[in-house]
Amino acid sequence: SVSRPSIRNDILGDNDKHQGIIEKQSPSFHKRWQKRYFVLAKRILKYFKNKQDYEENKPPKGAINF
């Protein structure tokens, strides 16, 4: 039988925080892959050009609410 993850593991908590580098596809015609620094905190996924921009509290390049 296939086990299902518990409901508890499926919920993103308000205090969860994850961060690191992820590659995303550029929106340009050439569709190149770009490394970006992502931070998931307080149910918002934000991305920055690099970790330094995040540490200097620069505004994110984009954000998604969960």
Side-chain angles (χ1 to χ4, degrees), residues 31-42:
K31 301 289 184 194
R32 296 180 191 175
W33 288 94
Q34 305 168 323
K35 289 184 181 181
R36 294 291 181 251
Y37 191 75
F38 282 76
V39 177
L40 173 62
K42 297 183 181 178

Side-chain angles (χ1 to χ4, degrees), residues 1-61:
S1 74
V2 176
S3 64
R4 295 183 57 169
S6 71
I7 248 338
R8 187 175 184 101
N9 290 334
D10 293 344
I11 297 172
L12 180 61
D14 289 334
N15 295 324
D16 291 344
K17 184 173 183 181
H18 303 278
Q19 56 193 53
I21 295 172
I22 301 176
E23 288 188 347
K24 67 173 264 319
Q25 207 171 31
S26 72
S28 71
F29 174 74
H30 296 291
K31 301 289 184 194
R32 296 180 191 175
W33 288 94
Q34 305 168 323
K35 289 184 181 181
R36 294 291 181 251
Y37 191 75
F38 282 76
V39 177
L40 173 62
K42 297 183 181 178
R43 298 178 183 234
I44 301 172
L45 178 64
K46 299 177 185 177
Y47 74 90
F48 302 83
K49 185 173 182 180
N50 52 45
K51 186 176 182 179
Q52 183 177 351
D53 284 0
Y54 169 70
E55 290 172 343
E56 293 175 357
N57 292 318
K58 292 186 178 178
K61 298 281 186 185

